[in-house]
Amino acid sequence: MKQAGVCPNDVTFIGLLTACNHSGLVKQGWELFHCMRDFGIEPRNEHYSCVVDLLGHAGYLDRAFAFVMTMPIEPGVSVWGALLSACKIHRRVTVGEYAANKLFSLDPYNTGHYVQLSNLYVSSCMWDCVARVRVLMKEKGLNKDLGFSLIEINGKLQAFHVGDKSHPRTEKIFNELQRLEKRLKEIGFVAHIDSVLHDLNYEEKEENLCVHSERIAIAYGLISTASGTTLRIIKNLRACVNCHAAIKLISKLVQREIIVRDSNRFHHFKDGLCSCGDYW
């Protein structure tokens, strides 16, 4: 743009900062943020939230928190939400609780904030706190969004929920899920069970993770398409760590490209790797 004589605007920098965040380019993102004023652009909450996300995802939680606390404008929902999300990833409970309380004050009826805090507590095995958040949600009449995945086969869109057994081909779908799970274990895959309810035993936790909606959609895609066909899936929530790790290996085991669009970004799985570089 500079070479072409085109002046970037505030939206340009949101794109740049988001790209840096998705690539883990902390230094470049930091420099871009600080050069905005060279173009006469005053950063908005959206730009600050991108930087918080950038620092937080990279593990610089103290730096991200200090950045928020010294903002020259009042931090908005997007800023505190980015900080809470980073705290969940890195299990920073104290800072996460602070961010969550700010969110509850600014946006008290957004279910996502309560779910994020609950997930933070789950990842830290703080089950009493998880229960308190659920009670708070119930008191406010809030319900957690139900996760679902969509896949289009032969021009027909199919939707699956977690543990979904409503499809006419359910038996074949779950046979394929079991076959995939067996192959995953044979090559040494170990399920990430930390985020599953504590009142389940290990086998139940494994089974719970195996039937997430995107895994069911993939199994359906595998039994419904020719070998080598790329599978394209849309999920309304962020892909969990376990499914992300499993799908990488599945793409290699079945020699398929699998593209998943979750609430955060596109994931292009191929030959055991993901285009996000495990950074999402």
Side-chain angles (χ1 to χ4, degrees):
M1 290 176 75
K2 288 170 67 177
Q3 291 174 355
V6 179
C7 187
N9 60 18
D10 58 340
V11 177
T12 306
F13 279 93
I14 289 176
L16 289 167
L17 292 169
T18 300
C20 288
N21 180 26
H22 283 175
S23 304
L25 302 175
V26 177
K27 183 175 183 291
Q28 291 89 331
W30 187 255
E31 290 173 352
L32 283 166
F33 175 78
H34 285 285
C35 80
M36 287 179 62
R37 290 187 176 89
D38 295 343
F39 297 92
I41 302 169
E42 200 65 32
R44 295 185 280 111
N45 255 289
E46 290 83 356
H47 300 99
Y48 284 102
S49 65
C50 284
V51 175
V52 172
D53 214 16
L54 174 69
L55 295 172
H57 266 76
Y60 300 110
L61 267 300
D62 293 332
R63 191 172 165 188
F65 183 66
F67 179 77
V68 174
M69 298 306 290
T70 55
M71 282 175 54
I73 61 175
E74 191 68 25
V77 170
S78 62
V79 172
W80 292 117
L83 186 60
L84 177 56
S85 177
C87 289
K88 189 271 176 183
I89 294 171
H90 299 287
R91 303 181 184 183
R92 290 288 296 273
V93 175
T94 303
V95 178
E97 288 177 327
Y98 187 91
N101 286 327
K102 291 290 186 180
L103 287 166
F104 297 160
S105 175
L106 292 169
D107 194 14
Y109 293 100
N110 187 321
T111 305
H113 307 325
Y114 299 88
V115 173
Q116 280 277 54
L117 179 61
S118 177
N119 289 340
L120 170 59
Y121 287 143
V122 168
S123 67
S124 303
C125 297
M126 299 172 65
W127 304 109
D128 289 343
C129 294
V130 173
R132 285 206 303 271
V133 174
R134 289 178 179 168
V135 169
L136 183 60
M137 289 178 67
K138 187 175 181 179
E139 290 173 348
K140 290 181 176 290
L142 302 175
N143 295 305
K144 182 178 178 181
D145 292 336
L146 184 63
F148 65 85
S149 293
L150 303 171
I151 183 170
E152 185 176 346
I153 302 293
N154 298 325
K156 187 175 181 181
L157 203 61
Q158 298 284 346
F160 295 97
H161 297 286
V162 59
D164 199 335
K165 293 187 177 182
S166 62
H167 196 276
R169 302 184 70 190
T170 287
E171 185 176 349
K172 290 186 177 180
I173 291 171
F174 275 76
N175 284 341
E176 180 66 11
L177 279 172
Q178 291 173 3
R179 187 183 72 83
L180 289 172
E181 195 61 24
K182 181 180 179 181
R183 293 185 67 187
L184 285 171
K185 288 183 177 180
E186 287 173 351
I187 61 174
F189 177 73
V190 178
H192 300 255
I193 63 171
D194 291 351
S195 61
V196 185
L197 293 177
H198 70 299
D199 54 353
L200 300 177
N201 62 39
Y202 187 87
E203 289 76 16
E204 290 172 327
K205 290 181 179 182
E206 276 195 309
E207 183 179 355
N208 182 283
L209 291 168
C210 293
V211 293
H212 279 187
S213 62
E214 61 268 50
R215 300 278 287 276
I216 297 176
I218 288 170
Y220 173 67
L222 291 174
I223 66 171
S224 305
T225 59
S227 177
T229 303
T230 297
L231 302 182
R232 293 178 171 84
I233 295 161
I234 298 173
K235 182 171 181 177
N236 68 323
L237 303 177
R238 181 180 183 272
C240 74
V241 173
N242 184 77
C243 285
H244 190 271
I247 297 170
K248 283 197 301 182
L249 292 175
I250 290 171
S251 71
K252 187 173 184 177
L253 287 172
V254 301
Q255 290 297 294
R256 299 272 198 121
E257 293 183 40
I258 304 172
I259 299 172
V260 178
R261 174 68 171 97
D262 71 2
S263 62
N264 271 33
R265 64 180 297 173
F266 280 95
H267 300 270
H268 184 183
F269 300 94
K270 183 179 178 182
D271 296 329
L273 299 173
C274 180
S275 58
C276 79
D278 300 335
Y279 202 91
W280 83 102

